[in-house]
Every structure is written in C-alpha cells, then in structure tokens.
Amino acid sequence: MSTFAVGDEDFLLDGRPVRLLSGALHYFRVREEQWEHRLGMLRAMGLNCVETYVPWNLHEPEPGRYADVAALGRFLDAVARAGMWAIVRPGPYICAEWENGGLPHWLTGPLGRRVRSFDPEFLAPVEGWFRRLLPQVVERQVDRGGPVVLVQVENEYGSYGSDRAYLEWLAELLRGCGVAVPLFTSDGPEDHMLTGGSVPGVLATANFGSGAREGFATLRRHQPSGPLMCMEFWCGWFDHWGTEHAVRDAADAAEALREILECGASVNVYMAHGGTNFGGFAGANRAGELHDGPLRATVTSYDYDAPVDEAGRPTEKFWRFREVLAAYAEGPLPEVPEPPARLAAPVSGGLDGWAPLEAVLEVLGGEESVTPVPPVFEELGVDRGLVRYRVAVPGPRQPYPLGVTGLRDRAVVYVDGVLAGVLDTVDGEDVALSEPVAGPAVVDLWVESLGRVNYGPRQAEPKGITGGVRHERQYLHGVRARGLRLDAFEAAAVDKVPFGAGAGGPGLHRGTFDVAGAGDAWLRLPGGTRGFVWLNGFCLGRYWPAAGPQDALFVPGPVLREGANEVWVLELEGAGSPTVELS
C-alpha cells in the first residue's frame, strides 16, 4: 500500500516527490478489447499515468436504470496491470465534447439552467449517482493497492458558474463516499475561471495548449503553493461537421509540452488517444467567443489529432512527445506495441433490404404524443435520435410560408408525403421552407438532434421544436409527435421491421457481407447522405460525408466477425440506397 499526497511543491508518493506524466484515454471511446493495447501505447510514449472522465448519461440512460457502471472499474484494473497510475474525473459534468457534457437528458430537461448549482433537485440525483459509481473508485485508490491517485471535483466549473456552495458540497460528497486521495479542480488559466472554479483546500490545476509559463504564473497568483499541473494540455483539437479538419504541428506541440515540463510541472496530455464517439454520443458547441452563436455539431471521430491516432497507431506527434518525455522517465521507455490487426482485404456490397421511416417508426418508435404545441425531445424521453412531428394546415387557404420557431437541430420536411425541403438550425433557430404551402395539407417534420451542447452558457437547452410550427404568422396547434431513439435499434427489435426490396431512400437499409481476416477497418457509404450505421448491432455513429471533414467511420476489429456480418444504415435524407465499403 502507498500514500499519495499534495506537498508544498510536489506530489508525494510515500513522501517522495513524483511527477505525473499523464495522458487522457477515455474507456468509453475505445472498445474494451483494445484497452490493453492503447495503454501500452501510452506507456511507450513515456507516460506513467492515465486520466479518464466518466459519462453519467452513458451509465444511467433513464432514472434508476444503469448500464455497465462496472466498466470504469474494469478499466482501472487494466491501468493497474499496465503499471500506471490513474486520475478519475467523475463529473457529474465532464464536457469532453460528449453529448450534454455527460449530464442525463432526463435531468437537464426539467431542470434547465438549475443544473450544476446548489439546487436540491439537482443535488439529490447527483448524490444517488455518485454513491452508485464511486465505490469502485474507492476500492482502487493507491492507499488500497490500486492505481487511483487523484479525483476531480466537477470540471472546468469556472467557465460556467460561480456557485461556491455547490462545489464545496460536491467535494464533501466525494469525501463522504470514501475518496481519500487528493481532490483537484481544473480550469482555464484566467482569473475569473480560477476564482469561479476553485474550492478552498482543493488543489487547483490549469488547462491550456501553450504559454505554460504565463498560465502557471496566473495559477500561482491564486494558489501560492502546491504542485503545478496542466490538467489538460491541448495537443490537438476536435472537429465539427462542416468545418476544416483541425491539425496541430507536431514540433510545435512537442515544444509546448517541453515548456510545461521545464516549469517543473506535471502534465496530462489531452488527448493522448482520443478514440471514437460511438453510439451517436458526440456533443455540440455554440459558435463564437461567448459560446452563444449558431450550433456546431461534433463529428463521430474523436481522433483529436492526438499522438496515438483513432486506430491506435503512432503519429509523428507520438514520436516527438516520446523524445521529450524520455528525458523525464525512470529508465528506458518500453518498446512500442505492435499495431492491432487490420482487415485483410477490402469488402464492398449493396444493401438488399429497406423499410421506409414510417415503417421503422411504427416498430421501434415510442408512444405518440398529441399536444397543442410541439413537445421537446426531453418530454418524449428521447436522448439520441429523432422525432417525427405531424401537424395539419387547415384549409382551404392560399399558399403561405411555413416555418419553425426554435428548431434544434435539423428537420427533413414533407408536405402530403412529398419532400418539401430541409431546415437546419445552422441557418438560425427560426427557419422556413423556400416554397409556400397551401391548405389543407399534412406536414411531417422529421427532426434530428445533432448533439446536445457540452460547453458554455447554452448547455441544458432542449432539443426538437422548442417554439412552434407557423403558417404565415399563425401557429399550428394539435401536434402529433413520436420519438425514435437510437438505443431502440437492437437485433430482436430490428428483426420485426418489415423490410422489402424497395427503391430505397430515407429509412432503414439492411444487408450482410462476408469477411475473411477480420481486423480494424474504415467504413464508407457511397450513396449515403446522412444518418447512422450499426455493424453487428454495434452503433458506429453518425455519417455525413457531404458536410465533412469526416468521410469514413472507424470500425474496431473486435466488432467484425469472420464470415457473415450484418449492417444496418438509418438513412435520413438520401434518395437512393447506400453501398457499404470496408477498407
């Protein structure tokens, strides 16, 4: 057993000064079968510690219904086997470019901006979740022979609020749950962020991508003693749909890392290995300096231009970081692990089954709601997926503009069963079809959430039609709404969908293909416009190649099978039938 403590200048392991050379690797963004390889890559790069967030909404999708909470413990056991320490950042809010910043939709829906505050209706479910989650962390603390050396209080709270009572309550809750290792906070190196996010008696750390000396100087004004640590050294960045791919020069990033270490500080490389936003869990941001502009949805890939790429292979940045970190290692660095097996030969084929969206909704959708005004996703219990809103335009009446007030995020609109256009919140939350609509008519709006905001003042905003559907200036009442959740796509349920061999278009496409020599691969969908893909029942995530910059989805080798493999494609806009290509 060991002790880990915060000293006047250093972290202390059994009283001896140590430096944490950590890297972010999120267990939920990597297939469990590949954890060992990715941890080996981080060790070979020169790291001695691993950091992970914990996404509450992944593990408690509905109140009191839990999903594989024990995955965190298994990951920490893998960290221990790799001979590394661990930093756990349990939230409840995590940001992480993850759907809703990790907060459950069933909580942010009714509470809105009351989340992340000293509000009893927020604190009660947080306490219930932590008492369910934290025992596996407590059991694996360093003083019990495990790898956990630090646990975070909230996450970058100073970028959001200033509720000191909430942060102090959260720190007390962590201690009350048995967390005995040092607690810490992490915020940007700016005065308002550090004053808003720090807790007396809890170590403050800073997050930045460059300018270590200036960042640590700001931190020292707020915290005169204690070890310096950059808890998020942003060595790359993430991508949004419809933007350029983010890349950071490897030499520049290595020099920024060197500066951090020359300051005598510890570091957590964010990300050391990014992984993938499987299952449609990618979040979104609002554009602009104040994060209150148009929506920018995060892509499925979370490669992050990290030193270990999405497929687990070393990049130029890996080798540059390894050179810098070798100078601070105790002994020679381990050999770089062999890369995982790749798909032996390309595979391509068509999809021979198809069911229109209406038929899919009839089998997999939730209960229909009939209300005067459109219910939002949260009221329908939809986290990731889409909702069909159906309204009637009375008649007879002449053609008038038909629009939506408060659209979040993208709607494919049909008038009397005929495609009439696509409305997108990127163009503004109040949008209208280009052609007017006469009455009487039946209007269907298939609205998709492109990801809930994970950072900034617009977090906890609802999805769907948050205002109403208008004909000219008149709101249309009597809305029939029905949700289609991504987690409804399970093999037993999909088998009940009435597939046919139609011409294709928006709907669920289905097919099988044979693989000889399974391994990591990339999946492309020529002919596909926008939607989601499942391979052998595992949701790879959203595809949207025309928006870019991502044009292929990573397929972890363990998802593929030797022989027959089944693919489902939920196409939301395209007119034809996609083709599947694995390479």
Side-chain angles (χ1 to χ4, degrees), residues 255-578:
E255 284 306 306
L257 174 61
R258 191 188 308 277
E259 182 182 354
I260 292 172
L261 299 177
E262 287 175 347
C263 291
S266 291
V267 67
N268 179 51
V269 177
Y270 194 98
M271 296 290 299
H273 169 60
T276 309
N277 294 313
F278 296 120
F281 272 105
N285 292 278
R286 289 286 183 169
E289 288 187 9
L290 299 180
H291 294 272
D292 59 356
L295 189 84
R296 297 290 182 263
T298 303
V299 302
T300 297
S301 171
Y302 200 63
D303 177 83
Y304 212 88
D305 192 34
V308 180
D309 73 10
E310 187 174 7
R313 289 170 169 76
T315 66
E316 175 64 20
K317 198 173 289 180
F318 174 93
W319 299 111
R320 294 293 187 106
F321 281 18
R322 182 175 156 100
E323 291 174 2
V324 172
L325 292 166
Y328 298 87
E330 295 182 0
L333 297 183
E335 294 294 320
V336 179
E338 289 294 320
R342 301 187 186 195
L343 182 69
V347 177
S348 64
L351 301 173
D352 52 13
W354 174 76
L357 280 177
E358 288 286 353
V360 178
L361 183 66
E362 190 63 32
V363 175
L364 303 181
E367 294 292 323
E368 186 172 67
S369 167
V370 183
T371 53
V373 299
V376 294
F377 277 39
E378 290 74 11
E379 293 172 310
L380 295 169
V382 177
D383 54 353
R384 295 156 295 120
L386 59 156
V387 170
R388 187 203 64 191
Y389 296 93
R390 176 168 287 172
V391 294
V393 178
R397 61 172 64 184
Q398 68 186 65
Y400 286 117
L402 188 136
V404 178
T405 299
L407 174 64
R408 301 189 187 133
D409 294 312
R410 190 172 174 92
V412 182
V413 185
Y414 298 84
V415 177
D416 291 331
V418 178
L419 179 64
V422 178
L423 305 178
D424 198 325
T425 190
V426 170
D427 302 322
E429 293 186 3
D430 294 348
V431 288
L433 294 174
S434 59
E435 297 294 329
V437 175
V442 175
V443 179
D444 287 340
L445 304 98
W446 292 83
V447 179
E448 179 192 0
S449 167
L450 297 178
R452 285 180 175 79
V453 170
N454 53 255
Y455 179 85
R458 297 291 292 269
Q459 193 189 3
E461 64 185 15
K463 290 296 185 181
I465 297 177
T466 65
V469 181
R470 292 178 290 106
H471 196 227
E472 204 251 355
R473 76 200 71 180
Q474 182 187 81
Y475 281 110
L476 299 176
H477 292 97
V479 181
R480 308 180 76 90
R482 194 171 182 185
L484 182 61
R485 294 172 55 123
L486 293 187
D487 58 11
F489 288 79
E490 298 179 347
V494 170
D495 284 342
K496 298 177 182 177
V497 174
F499 288 97
L508 188 61
H509 300 257
R510 185 179 193 176
T512 58
F513 55 88
D514 290 331
V515 166
D520 289 351
W522 295 95
L523 183 145
R524 290 178 172 81
L525 289 165
T529 301
R530 179 177 59 89
F532 296 88
V533 184
W534 288 259
L535 190 54
N536 295 322
F538 179 75
C539 185
L540 298 175
R542 177 183 283 111
Y543 66 92
W544 197 359
Q550 182 175 359
D551 66 352
L553 296 176
F554 175 61
V555 180
V559 173
L560 285 171
R561 305 168 181 157
E562 292 295 319
N565 291 259
E566 184 172 42
V567 62
W568 312 328
V569 177
L570 181 64
E571 171 60 50
L572 301 177
E573 287 190 35
S577 180

Side-chain angles (χ1 to χ4, degrees), residues 155-159 185-190 193-194 196-198 205-207:
N155 182 59
E156 292 187 317
Y157 188 72
S159 299
T185 58
S186 64
D187 288 284
E190 299 183 36
M193 294 182 181
L194 287 165
S198 299
T205 65
N207 302 338

Side-chain angles (χ1 to χ4, degrees), residues 6 130-131 134 138 141 151 153 168-184 201-203:
V6 170
F130 270 22
R131 293 199 182 279
L134 290 174
V138 171
Q141 294 178 117
V151 172
V153 180
E168 291 178 344
W169 175 88
L170 199 57
E172 290 176 6
L173 175 62
L174 290 166
R175 292 295 186 212
C177 289
V179 176
V181 295
L183 302 177
F184 70 93
V202 172
L203 179 70

